[in-house]
């Protein structure tokens, strides 16, 4: 079983400060960490490897210093690491990022691809599913439990607002995971020693056979106009009056919307 | 202070510190209150390779020494002495196999110990054999291809929870101390059972039980070293493990000091933080100095032992004696610095004070450590004449 885990190096949000003049994140001097959701993805991959055998490869796109995240992944138990780094990749939006990751995954080959459900800096949750689309591969997002894995299929629980769906898919498949899936392990000492010595493969535009016009800023159709937290559309209604009246009105309301 | 640890030693210490902070500290009060065995923490330590630190690489360990083991024990002890006792008792129980085990026994047991798959316990103490280790009454009689064990071991750390036991028993009553032998016994061997779990003042996360042998038959190959070597093996084991107890002393003292110093900075009396008063400052100054002196001694002795030095009894006794006396004093003073708050369960130092007491008692009381040092001094003085 070949498993690829896509990880992203993000600023540690617990340490982050906002520039009061520009209202943007001050990234200078902020420690970088592996996106927390990706740790659950790494854990899931290692658990499957421990069960079925095979190889876990971590994949990231980023500047050379993103290598730290890859070494941390190896310390947890990943076998190999690939860094996608090229000036041509700079300025990628989720579309260009997904395209780049997909091209690399095509080259590397995988039965299962794991991603965290979203990154804590951008919060889009788009890269996982978009990568699957570029690969023309099924994807299941927000998985909270892996029920069964065979050589050719996987059965998982997908978290929904209320309850969960049980979804079965053929392999290869791309999965995005939520933190309910597992408890990421601590690194091991042997893993840390291996991570120190590990050879990290770096791949650029030519190595993955990507089209220059689909990469980086050039390949990014997104234009950010405004960033805001979307409005929550849940309705709320206060029922007033004496307790008796409140009960009566509540029952009426519930009957009206056919709840009871 | 900087002790110039190398890159791998720093890696070991930092990961142990991370586990102490993230996995041990949040649940230490609960483990203490409920007297609960820390299985989850042991699992984390196993997964992170800590059980194999000082086991040879050919058996799946990391091939480091007692010094590195001490670094781990110290870090765990800053958070919880009950957890560090559970962990360190493995190393204690493993030394007899490392010191005297045949190749077959090493191959059979060390890989499972190094991976943390099986916990280990050391069984020496009995009702009539504590400080007087020669009072052991458990017997092992050779019958054909088997030794038959009879007797009861008392207050055995990890008893019942460990899978592997190294046991000292008498094979020849007429020979006194030279009539003892060491054995490996597996949990589940017929005739081997456990007494009730003891209710303790401190280190309540660690389990302590009686080991009961009633016609317990083990293969004769489970003898460690030769018949009659039991006490030598036990003494060599304790020589090696004592710096680990010293490291526990350094760790718990550091944990208590850190809590007291932070509290003294925050606590306001007479319109100023209490740390600004000389009476409190001097207490903290003494505590910090004693901890650093204990650490320096424990580190030096551990390195001395790891160098392969032959006669280490005096030095290892000094490290255990000094660091654990410091632990008792510092934890008591930490409670005093924190006053009423220090006495309350809401803060961690009363637990540290209760926990620290065992360090002056187990693996040879501090009075016995003074005997060991004294006897070494007599020997040295005689040589000088």
């Amino acid at each position: 079983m070949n498993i690829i885990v896509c990880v992203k190096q993000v600023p540690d949000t617990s340490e982050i400060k906002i520039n009061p003049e520009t209202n943007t994140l001050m990234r200078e001097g902020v420690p970088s960490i592996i996106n927390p959701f990706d740790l659950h993805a790494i854990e899931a991959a290692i658990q499957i490897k421990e069960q079925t055998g095979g190889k876990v490869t971590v994949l990231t796109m980023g500047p050379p210093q993103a290598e730290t995240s890859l070494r941390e992944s190896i310390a947890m138990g990943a076998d190999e690491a690939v860094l996608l780094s090229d000036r041509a990749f700079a300025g990628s939006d989720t579309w260009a990022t997904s395209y780049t990751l997909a091209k690399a995954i095509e080259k590397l080959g995988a039965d299962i691809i794991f991603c965290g459900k979203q990154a804590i800096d951008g919060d889009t949750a788009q890269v996982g599913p978009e990568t699957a689309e570029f690969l023309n591969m099924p994807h299941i997002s927000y998985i909270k439990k892996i029920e069964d894995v065979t050589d050719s299929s996987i059965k998982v629980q997908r978290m929904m607002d209320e309850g969960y769906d049980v979804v079965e898919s053929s392999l290869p498949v791309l999965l995005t995971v939520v933190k309910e899936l597992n408890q990421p392990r601590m690194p091991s000492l042997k893993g840390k020693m291996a991570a120190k010595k590990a050879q990290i493969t770096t791949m650029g535009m030519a190595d993955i056979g990507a089209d220059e016009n689909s990469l980086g800023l050039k390949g990014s159709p997104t234009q950010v106009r405004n960033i805001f937290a979307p409005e929550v559309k849940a309705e709320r209604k206060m029922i007033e009056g004496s307790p008796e009246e409140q009960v009566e009105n509540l029952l009426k309301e519930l009957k009206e919307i056919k709840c009871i | 202070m900087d002790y110039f640890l190398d890159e791998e030693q720093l890696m070991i210490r930092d990961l142990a510190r991370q586990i102490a902070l993230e996995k041990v500290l949040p649940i230490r009060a609960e483990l203490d209150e409920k007297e609960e065995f820390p299985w989850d923490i042991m699992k984390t330590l196993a997964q992170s390779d800590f059980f194999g630190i000082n086991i040879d690489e050919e058996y799946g360990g990391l091939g480091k020494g007692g010094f590195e083991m001490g670094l781990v024990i110290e870090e765990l002890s800053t958070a919880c002495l009950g957890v560090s006792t559970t962990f360190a008792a493995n190393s204690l129980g493993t030394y007899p196999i490392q010191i005297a085990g045949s190749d077959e026994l090493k191959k059979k047991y060390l890989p499972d110990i190094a991976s943390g798959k099986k916990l280990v316990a050391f069984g020496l103490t009995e009702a009539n054999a504590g400080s007087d280790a020669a009072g052991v009454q458990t017997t092992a009689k050779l019958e054909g291809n088997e030794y038959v064990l009879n007797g009861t071991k008392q207050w055995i750390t990890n008893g019942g929870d460990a899978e592997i036991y190294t046991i000292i028993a008498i094979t020849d009553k007429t020979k006194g101390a030279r009539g003892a032998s060491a054995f490996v016994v597996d949990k589940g061997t017929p005739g081997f059972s456990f007494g009730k779990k003891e209710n303790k003042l401190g280190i309540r996360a660690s389990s302590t039980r009686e080991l009961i042998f009633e016609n317990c038959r083990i293969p004769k190959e489970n003898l460690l070293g030769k018949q009659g070597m039991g006490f030598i093996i036990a003494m060599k084991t304790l020589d090696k493990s004592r710096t680990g107890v010293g490291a526990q002393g350094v760790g718990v003292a550091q944990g208590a000091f850190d809590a007291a110093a932070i509290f003294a900075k925050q606590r306001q009396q007479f319109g100023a933080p209490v740390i600004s008063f000389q009476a409190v400052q001097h207490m903290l100054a003494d505590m910090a100095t004693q901890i650093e002196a204990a650490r320096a001694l424990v580190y030096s002795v551990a390195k001395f032992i790891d160098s392969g030095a032959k006669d280490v009894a005096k030095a290892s006794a000094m490290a255990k004696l000094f660091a654990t006396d410091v632990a008792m004093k510092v934890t008591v003073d930490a409670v005093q610095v924190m006053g009423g708050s220090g006495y309350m369960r809401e803060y961690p130092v009363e637990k540290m004070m209760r926990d620290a007491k065992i360090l002056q008692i187990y693996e040879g009381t501090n009075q016995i450590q003074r005997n060991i040092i004294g006897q070494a001094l007599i020997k040295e003085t005689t040589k000088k004449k």
Side-chain angles (χ1 to χ4, degrees), chain B residues 98-111:
Chain B
Q98 292 171 292
I99 291 167
S102 62
D103 280 352
E104 287 71 31
L105 286 179
K106 284 180 181 171
K107 268 183 210 145
K108 183 176 172 194
Y109 289 106
L110 293 181

Side-chain angles (χ1 to χ4, degrees), chain A residues 186-190 192 196, chain B residues 7 15 22 47-49 60:
Chain A
M186 289 272 178
S188 71
L189 291 171
K190 283 181 192 171
K192 281 188 147 224
K196 210 173 66 184
Chain B
E7 204 180 342
L15 187 54
E22 291 178 19
Q47 211 165 41
S48 295
D49 301 326

Side-chain angles (χ1 to χ4, degrees), chain A residues 130-188:
Chain A
E130 277 179 16
T131 303
E133 290 305 308
F134 275 117
L135 287 165
N136 198 21
M137 183 186 285
H139 81 265
I140 311 167
S141 46
Y142 305 114
I143 68 160
K144 73 173 189 84
K145 192 175 178 188
I146 296 169
E147 289 190 354
D148 191 33
V149 188
T150 71
D151 285 345
S152 56
S153 72
I154 192 162
K155 195 169 163 189
V156 300
Q157 293 180 4
R158 169 169 59 200
M159 195 157 84
M160 305 300 285
D161 282 343
E162 294 156 7
Y164 60 87
D165 298 335
V166 177
V167 185
E168 204 172 338
S169 168
S170 57
L171 300 186
V173 67
L174 185 146
L175 309 169
T176 81
V177 309
V178 294
K179 64 181 193 312
E180 286 78 4
L181 178 62
N182 54 39
Q183 184 68 43
R185 69 191 61 192
M186 289 272 178
S188 71

Side-chain angles (χ1 to χ4, degrees), chain B residues 97 109 113 118-121 162-166 184-187:
Chain B
I97 302 173
Y109 289 106
I113 297 172
K118 290 180 175 176
L119 296 185
V120 196
E163 298 287 325
I164 300 166
Y165 294 80
T166 46
V184 192
V185 185
D186 292 294
K187 183 181 181 175

Side-chain angles (χ1 to χ4, degrees), chain B residues 13-87:
Chain B
R13 187 198 65 184
D14 292 347
L15 187 54
R17 185 170 291 177
Q18 191 186 349
I19 290 173
L21 280 175
E22 291 178 19
K23 304 281 178 188
V24 183
L25 199 141
I27 59 166
R28 64 183 172 191
E30 191 189 342
L31 292 174
D32 176 58
E33 187 83 31
K34 294 188 181 162
E35 218 168 13
E36 201 176 290
F37 194 84
W39 280 116
D40 283 353
I41 298 168
M42 291 305 121
K43 209 181 134 197
T44 301
L45 290 167
Q47 211 165 41
S48 295
D49 301 326
F50 281 101
F51 284 99
I53 284 217
N54 58 350
I55 291 175
D56 287 347
E57 285 172 280
E58 62 171 309
Y59 303 114
L62 291 171
K64 302 286 173 191
F67 179 78
E68 286 80 3
M69 182 50 104
L71 291 176
V72 178
I73 294 172
E74 180 185 336
E75 290 303 329
L76 295 176
S77 302
T78 59
C80 178
L81 216 49
V83 167
S84 84
T85 294
T86 305
F87 173 71

